[in-house]
Structures are given as structure tokens and as C-alpha cells.
Amino acid sequence: MNPIVHALVIGVPLLTFLMGGAALATWFERRFSGKMQTRWGPTVVGPAGLLQPVADALKMMQKEDIVPRAADRTLFNLAPLFPPFLVIASAAVIPFAATIDADGAVKATGVVADLDIGILWVMALAGLMVFPIWVAGWAANNKYTMLSGMRMVAQGISYEIPMVLCALVPVIFAGSLSLSDIVAYQAVHGWNALSLSPSAIVGAVAALLFFLASLAEANRIPFDIPEAESELIGGVMVEYTGIKFGIFMLAEYLHTIVASALTAVLFFGGPLGPGPAVLGLGWMLGKTLVLFVLIYWIRWSLYRFRSDQLMDLCWRILVPLSLVLVMLSALLVAGGFA
Amino acid sequence: MQEQWVSALVFLGLAFSVPLSMLVGAALVRVRAKSNLEAKYDTYECGEEPDGPAWVRFHPRYYIVALVFVLFDVEAAFLFPWALTLRELGTLALVEMFVFVTVLLIGWAYALRKGALSWQ
């Protein structure tokens, strides 16, 4: 198929799924937290408050655009362009479905661009994320946004290391950076984090660390120090009004969906599962949904870490542990266990 | 494979159109207030008069972490090609990477002992 047509045929539904998912995520978060705290959450707009995201979007579109006098106008207006762009773009390499070849091999499909550097693409885009956040924090010329931006950079670069190293574990097992090759490997050898093979123990720990590091990259509790309402008001978004504020929130919700999908593909077989290959899309969405709910469950159950505890956890435990995991997975490969 | 890159580029464009269309759309429909009070454009400081600019020198607390980060990031750059060729290169690559990672972990322990990774 023509690559441009291919990108549109797969990309437009993917984009719709991500945007619709992010809108529903705002509704879900409020309803879910309501259930957890024995209150209702939104109920007025639409059945069960389902149209609340639409109302919120309309409200944000209409709000007046205020740029503080002291802010750097150009950078302040440029920064909101990038967070959702980077998050959505990283979803380009995630396979959402599976087919079975004539020779019986499972092949991952439903991917916008099956790049042979798949994981590198995701990690590169995730690594860029600290720039728009820091630019936003600096450009507003506000003390809260400055502190928040600085914390965000410290946290973002720190948690990038365990994230990259843990993503290397399935790469070592599969011997490929391509996400569809990693799915194909799991079709033969069982899910990386959940199978009877001894490699699944290493895979499960790597999955846990990867998931935690993704939470930190997405600034979700217990790692949401950059936002930390009770001390930093609203993090780097303090001075943003209307749709620009909405764009930062959108990026955060998108990030939870993409992080769930990525964890599902890397460690839980992605579109693999019992039943015919046609069900692949269902399996993938189901696994993503489970991890997605887990993120929100954690967010409404746990406290926020203090900034230095957060850095300690990363540098004293996660970084050395993920290095050990990488070497263990290499040993498993050399020993013929994976 | 080049076709995949074309698809990726098209999707980059699609992804960029999302925030762009939101900003442009909001610029078309949003309210423009007639009153322009001075105070509206003040920097937010919990309702107080803003006390000087935020662009001042302050202690970022974790500046050595940035240096250690570069170290580990470069190391990750070495690990990626190694991970891909591990099966072909076999034991030699495995031993070499063990030595490399051990040296790196010693460096990590040194940084930890020196307090480079703690709140300064």
C-alpha cells in the first residue's frame, strides 16, 4: 500500500482513539476518584456525566488568552505546541493488531510505521518531552513554574535511565528494536513478563520498573512532583489560561494511554492472546485498559513522594536494579533460556 | 523500510496538527475582554504583589545528577547495538559488557558515596 495512504488508514483511527481516549480519561478519572471517595463525580452533563469532557473542551476554547506581562511571549506561546505532539508521535510504532501468516507465524499489524528502530523512536520522543515543559516553566517568569520546571527536568532525565534500560530487556530477548518483532518473539516464547519460562521473572521485574518509570515520565502520582498542587499550585501550567492549559492536561492524559499501550506491547504480548488472531485488537485494547485503570487506581490510592525521595528512589534503587536486569537478561539469552 | 519512514513522517504531521488546530481553533472563537486592567497581566503569586522576576539564580539541588545522567545515557547508547548483536557475538560480547557495566556500577557507587546523587 502507498505509505501515505497507509499512514492515514491506520493513523487517523489511532489518532481518534487517542484523542477520544484522553477525553474519556478525564471523565473516567473524575468518576473513578468519586467512586473511591464515596462521592459522585460529574453527573449533570449527559448520561452519567459522559458529555463532561465536551463541555470542558468548549469552556476552554472560549476562555480569554492571558499572557503575563513579565513572560517571554514567544516561548510562552510556543511551548504548548509540543507536549501532545511528542506523545502522539511516539504511538506511531505501537502495533495494535495481529495476523497469522500462511506458514503459521504470528505477525503484528495495525501499526502506523513499523520502524526497525521502534523503541529508539519512542525513547527519543519521550526524552524530548522535558524541553517543552522546561521552556513553559521558564517562559512564564513565575516562581512556581520555574521550580516546577526544574524539578521536572531533574525527574525526567533521572527516570529516563531506568525506563530505557528496562525497555532493553525485551530488546535483548527478541534481538530487535522493532516492536512488531518483540511481539513476534513473545508469540513463540510466551509473554515477556508472564509465562512459565525462567526469563519471565526478569521480565516481570523489568515490567514493574518500566511501568513505574513511565508513571514518572507522565507525571502521575506517586511521581507528580512537577505539578504538586498543594505546594506548586499547578506546576508549569500556573500562568496558562484556556486551551493552552487544556493542551498540557491533554498531553498528560494521552501519556497515560500511550504508556499503558507500550507496557502491554513490550511485556504482556500486546495483541497476543487466546483465540483467533482477529481478536488481537481486542486483546491489545483490553491489556491497555487494565494498565490504564491501574495508573488511575495508583493515583487515587497513594501519596505523592517528596522531591528528594523521588530522586533517591531512582538513583539508589531503580538505576542499579535495571542495570542488573539488563545483564541478567543477557545471561538468560546466552544460557539459552530466552 | 523507507516506506515505513514516509508513514512515520505523515503521522508526525498528523500528530502536530492536533495541538496546532486546538490553538488556532481557540484563537478564532475565544473571548476578547474589553477591560484590560493592569493587574490582570501580573505574574501570579497567590494574590500578593509579585516580588521581582523569577529569572534569578537559584540552587537547582540536583545539578551533578545531570552529569551522571549524561554518563548513563551514553552507556545506554552503547547497550542498544550490543543488545541487537548479542546472539551473533556470543560469549565475548557478554563478558565485555559485564566488565563495562561493572566499571560503570563502581562509578555509580563512587558518585553515591560522594553525595552527588543526594539533595545538596
Side-chain angles (χ1 to χ4, degrees):
Chain A
M1 205 191 307
N2 181 322
I4 297 172
V5 177
H6 175 82
L8 292 177
V9 166
I10 310 274
V12 171
L14 175 61
L15 201 64
T16 318
F17 163 68
L18 287 176
M19 295 301 289
L24 271 178
T26 65
W27 169 84
F28 174 78
E29 168 146 54
R30 296 171 68 181
R31 289 292 289 191
F32 190 65
S33 59
K35 285 269 183 291
M36 287 184 74
Q37 298 170 343
T38 52
R39 55 186 176 83
W40 284 103
T43 50
V44 177
V45 195
L50 260 172
L51 292 178
Q52 188 67 45
V54 181
D56 285 342
L58 284 176
K59 180 193 74 177
M60 281 175 178
M61 295 284 274
Q62 293 172 45
K63 287 221 168 182
E64 191 187 348
D65 181 43
I66 300 175
V67 180
R69 199 183 310 113
D72 183 318
R73 226 190 154 77
T74 320
L75 290 180
F76 187 80
N77 287 326
L78 269 178
L81 271 175
F82 294 95
F85 162 65
L86 294 173
V87 178
I88 295 171
S90 65
V93 293
I94 299 178
F96 277 85
T99 53
I100 297 184
D101 276 358
D103 52 349
V106 177
K107 196 173 171 305
T109 54
V111 49
V112 174
D114 185 16
L115 303 177
D116 48 4
I117 58 151
I119 287 191
L120 215 53
W121 169 273
V122 176
M123 294 302 155
L125 289 167
L128 284 176
M129 197 63 177
V130 297
F131 291 102
I133 304 281
W134 168 244
V135 166
W138 185 85
N141 197 356
N142 178 308
K143 280 142 201 146
Y144 299 115
T145 61
M146 280 289 273
L147 280 174
S148 165
M150 192 62 92
R151 286 183 183 185
M152 170 74 207
V153 172
Q155 173 181 329
I157 63 173
S158 298
Y159 277 86
E160 201 181 312
I161 295 167
M163 192 167 91
V164 170
L165 291 180
C166 289
L168 261 176
V169 170
V171 171
I172 291 172
F173 287 159
S176 167
L177 290 169
S178 155
L179 287 171
S180 51
D181 285 353
I182 289 173
V183 170
Y185 169 85
Q186 293 180 87
V188 181
H189 294 85
W191 299 357
N192 279 331
L194 205 65
S195 72
L196 294 175
S197 150
S199 65
I201 301 166
V202 174
V205 181
L208 181 69
L209 296 199
F210 182 82
F211 192 61
L212 285 181
S214 310
L215 286 187
E217 294 285 310
N219 301 325
R220 300 297 294 186
I221 281 179
F223 305 107
D224 83 330
I225 275 299
E227 194 182 328
E229 307 95 325
S230 49
E231 42 188 306
L232 290 175
I233 322 297
V236 294
M237 295 99 91
V238 168
E239 296 287 4
Y240 282 106
T241 59
I243 199 71
K244 290 177 191 161
F245 173 83
I247 284 177
F248 278 99
M249 294 309 287
L250 170 75
E252 193 184 314
Y253 284 106
L254 284 171
H255 211 139
T256 60
I257 300 175
V258 173
S260 312
L262 202 60
T263 314
V265 169
L266 286 178
F267 297 100
F268 296 99
L272 304 174
V278 186
L279 289 178
L281 182 65
W283 278 108
M284 177 64 190
L285 294 183
K287 289 169 190 172
T288 306
L289 184 68
V290 169
L291 291 165
F292 172 84
V293 171
L294 193 60
I295 292 179
Y296 289 79
W297 194 0
I298 291 171
R299 188 221 187 288
W300 290 96
S301 305
L302 296 183
Y303 292 109
R304 173 184 301 130
F305 279 125
R306 212 172 57 211
S307 193
D308 60 322
Q309 294 170 332
L310 189 100
M311 300 291 279
D312 270 4
L313 174 70
C314 178
W315 285 103
R316 280 168 210 262
I317 300 170
L318 297 190
V319 166
L321 187 57
S322 49
L323 262 180
V324 169
L325 284 177
V326 166
M327 297 324 285
L328 276 180
S329 55
L331 272 181
L332 283 168
V333 167
F337 290 106
Chain B
M1 188 41 74
Q2 250 149 29
E3 287 182 2
Q4 304 288 349
W5 281 98
V6 176
S7 299
L9 270 179
V10 173
F11 192 69
L12 279 187
L14 270 182
F16 197 69
S17 72
V18 169
L20 194 66
S21 60
M22 285 170 81
L23 282 178
V24 172
L28 293 177
V29 299
R30 72 171 161 238
V31 175
R32 276 171 190 74
K34 292 206 176 66
S35 76
N36 270 320
L37 296 170
E38 276 288 292
K40 192 159 85 181
Y41 299 96
D42 273 352
T43 301
Y44 175 74
E45 248 164 59
C46 298
E48 298 288 324
E49 293 272 324
D51 185 10
W55 294 334
V56 291
R57 290 188 177 194
F58 70 99
H59 199 314
R61 299 287 169 193
Y62 283 105
Y63 68 100
I64 306 180
V65 164
L67 297 177
V68 184
F69 161 74
V70 173
L71 200 77
F72 275 89
D73 226 24
V74 171
E75 177 251 343
F78 283 130
L79 280 174
F80 271 102
W82 167 80
L84 292 184
T85 47
L86 185 62
R87 278 175 209 270
E88 294 153 42
L89 297 179
T91 322
L92 179 69
L94 191 68
V95 172
E96 279 189 4
M97 197 43 87
F98 258 92
V99 173
F100 180 66
V101 169
T102 311
V103 171
L104 199 79
L105 278 177
I106 293 172
W108 167 80
Y110 177 74
L112 199 67
R113 278 290 295 267
K114 283 280 174 184
L117 305 178
S118 0
W119 181 267
Q120 308 266 320

